Amino acid sequence: MTSPGFRPTHVVPQHGMPAWEAPDPARPTLPLDAFLPVQLVERRGDWGLVLCSNGWSAWVDGRFLVAVPQDPPTADGSPLARTADPRPLLAGAERVLTGYRLAVEDLAAGALDGESFRARTSGLRMGVVVDGESMWLYDAERARWVYADGTRVSIYAADDGPSATAESGPAPTAGPGHAPTQVVTPDGP
């Protein structure tokens, strides 16, 4: 029987996993079955407290849990609204990846030394995660991650905190912890 409102965040790995009554190796309990959906409710270092759909909970080595992709949350719980076409972001990611691949090929062929490779790739930043119809893209121009389902794009996470400027304002010169992102336009960097 599944508890009402149960939404798994992880599944148990394909070979199952040992479980404990407490975050203490001296207190083992029944192992968890392979591919069992669980909800991670607490972390203590490597330990993770998981809740099963039947309400039973146990401590596990949280490092081995397999994350279940989740749709990005919306502020008010409403469905994601269509905000943009994902194709320009995909084209930009393709250009950045092609530029990086060409630099790697030149480095491997001996046409570039390490310093030239670093200079050529400095500021390149892209990110794409595809999981079936769900996709997360890094929008380098606005320094944020967006979620796309093939037809719409919604803001998922931003490098910087909220800003008083409009969404279409200029790209930040540097995000926290990394060099300025090189924005690639159709004409090149």
Side-chain angles (χ1 to χ4, degrees), residues 38-50:
V38 297
Q39 188 178 64
L40 182 62
V41 294
E42 185 179 340
R43 290 294 299 239
R44 288 189 195 166
D46 292 336
W47 291 99
L49 177 62
V50 295

Side-chain angles (χ1 to χ4, degrees), residues 1 4 6 15 18 20 32 49 65 80 84 87 94 103 116 118 122 129 146 152-153 166 169:
M1 180 175 176
F6 177 81
H15 300 293
W20 294 267
L32 300 180
L49 177 62
L65 292 171
L80 296 173
R87 291 176 293 181
E94 186 176 11
S116 299
R118 277 188 290 285
S122 176
V129 177
V146 297
R152 64 181 179 229
V153 173

Side-chain angles (χ1 to χ4, degrees), residues 6-184:
F6 177 81
R7 184 170 169 111
T9 59
H10 295 78
V11 294
V12 173
Q14 65 180 343
H15 300 293
M17 68 188 315
W20 294 267
E21 292 177 11
D24 178 357
R27 299 187 56 196
T29 188
L30 296 173
L32 300 180
D33 293 331
F35 303 113
L36 177 70
V38 297
Q39 188 178 64
L40 182 62
V41 294
E42 185 179 340
R43 290 294 299 239
R44 288 189 195 166
D46 292 336
W47 291 99
L49 177 62
V50 295
L51 176 66
C52 302
S53 64
N54 65 2
W56 187 71
S57 63
W59 287 90
V60 298
D61 186 338
R63 297 173 297 174
F64 297 107
L65 292 171
V66 179
V68 174
Q70 301 289 321
D71 290 342
T74 58
D76 61 1
S78 63
L80 296 173
R82 181 181 172 92
T83 59
D85 181 350
R87 291 176 293 181
L89 289 177
L90 285 170
E94 186 176 11
R95 283 189 302 274
V96 171
L97 183 59
T98 298
Y100 189 84
R101 181 183 50 80
L102 292 172
V104 167
E105 287 176 4
D106 287 349
L107 180 64
L112 286 178
D113 61 16
E115 185 59 35
S116 299
F117 177 76
R118 277 188 290 285
R120 187 163 155 189
T121 59
S122 176
L124 290 179
R125 180 166 269 101
M126 66 159 282
V128 178
V129 177
V130 177
D131 184 21
E133 70 179 25
S134 299
M135 178 174 45
W136 291 263
L137 289 162
Y138 186 70
D139 179 353
E141 186 175 335
R142 293 180 181 86
R144 65 185 184 186
W145 280 91
V146 297
Y147 170 80
D149 67 0
T151 60
R152 64 181 179 229
V153 173
S154 301
I155 298 171
Y156 185 65
D159 280 356
D160 296 325
S163 149
T165 61
E167 181 178 314
S168 61
T173 56
H178 59 73
T181 299
Q182 178 180 348
V183 177
V184 179

